[in-house]
């Protein structure tokens, strides 16, 4: 990267790509919030639910090992022996998948823990496909969120999914 530090073309491209990523992430956040609000309205999510506060990890200039070690440090500080859930949020391309893989590897190899990883993108895409298919089969072929995304349908869609272990 330092090789391109003085390149006006690279700096311009970097800014443009960075701005596009930020715009796309903001669009995703807005769409996700609409979905959350809709789910609360329909009773799928408790309207009074308040998630725990996020812990911010600055990844700039850090390796995936350093980031995973920092996250595991938070995990060890709150270890009650019952297991943990880690939710990793971040901008596109910031290393979330790599970090999850490193955390998983370290917990398995160093501590002998059982680890389950789940990506929200996989489940959202699957449910979206099932909802779109439901609309095709039960309507005029257009997507009708009001009809497709009922509490009952969402429960049915989730029950259609199965999860297995993936060996890496």
């Amino acid at each position: 990267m330092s090789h391109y530090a003085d390149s006006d073309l690279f700096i311009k491209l970097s800014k443009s790509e960075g701005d596009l990523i930020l715009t796309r992430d903001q669009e995703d956040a807005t769409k996700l919030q609409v979905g959350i609000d809709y789910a609360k309205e329909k009773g799928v999510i408790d309207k009074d639910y308040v998630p725990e506060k996020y812990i911010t990890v600055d990844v700039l200039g850090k390796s995936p090992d350093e980031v995973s070690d920092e996250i595991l440090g938070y995990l060890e500080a709150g270890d009650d022996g019952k297991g943990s859930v880690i939710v990793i949020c971040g901008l596109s391309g910031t290393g979330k998948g790599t970090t999850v893989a490193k955390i998983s590897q370290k917990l398995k190899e160093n501590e002998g823990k059982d680890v389950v990883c789940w990506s929200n993108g996989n489940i959202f895409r699957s449910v979206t496909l099932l909802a779109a298919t439901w609309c095709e089969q039960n309507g005029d072929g257009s997507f009708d969120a009001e009809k497709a995304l009922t509490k009952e349908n969402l429960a049915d869609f989730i029950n259609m999914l199965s999860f297995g272990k993936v060996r890496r």
Side-chain angles (χ1 to χ4, degrees):
M1 294 290 290
S2 60
H3 177 74
Y4 297 104
D6 295 326
S7 168
D8 290 338
L9 184 60
F10 180 76
I11 292 168
K12 183 178 177 181
L13 175 65
S14 297
K15 175 154 180 28
S16 173
E17 289 298 312
D19 289 345
L20 288 172
I21 289 170
L22 291 173
T23 299
R24 190 170 53 246
D25 284 338
Q26 184 55 53
E27 290 169 356
D28 289 348
T30 300
K31 291 174 187 174
L32 180 59
Q33 188 60 55
V34 168
I36 290 169
D37 293 343
Y38 187 75
K40 285 181 176 182
E41 177 187 319
K42 293 296 182 182
V44 175
I45 298 174
D46 180 356
K47 64 179 175 153
D48 297 322
Y49 174 74
V50 178
E52 292 181 36
K53 185 177 184 253
Y54 289 154
I55 296 169
T56 301
V57 176
D58 185 357
V59 300
L60 188 62
K62 294 179 185 171
S63 71
D65 278 315
E66 291 170 319
V67 173
S68 62
D69 287 343
E70 185 172 340
I71 292 169
L72 288 171
Y74 288 111
L75 196 63
E76 290 168 6
D79 187 10
D80 60 5
K82 296 180 182 177
S84 300
V85 174
I86 303 171
V87 177
I88 298 184
C89 308
L91 299 174
S92 297
T94 56
K96 295 177 298 295
T98 303
T99 300
V100 167
K102 287 289 186 181
I103 290 171
S104 176
Q105 176 187 20
K106 289 176 183 206
L107 288 172
K108 287 177 188 175
E109 292 177 4
N110 300 345
E111 300 183 32
K113 304 233 177 175
D114 291 325
V115 178
V116 176
C117 299
W118 176 57
S119 171
N120 68 345
N122 293 337
I123 190 80
F124 289 148
R125 289 181 187 122
S126 300
V127 171
T128 300
L129 176 60
L130 291 168
T133 302
W134 184 92
C135 287
E136 289 173 358
Q137 295 171 349
N138 295 284
D140 62 6
S142 64
F143 189 83
D144 185 339
E146 191 72 27
K147 292 179 182 174
L149 300 178
T150 65
K151 188 174 186 175
E152 295 78 17
N153 280 354
L154 288 171
D156 287 344
F157 299 156
I158 294 296
N159 286 331
M160 291 178 193
L161 302 176
S162 63
F163 301 92
K165 290 186 177 182
V166 176
R167 300 278 182 222
R168 292 183 186 213

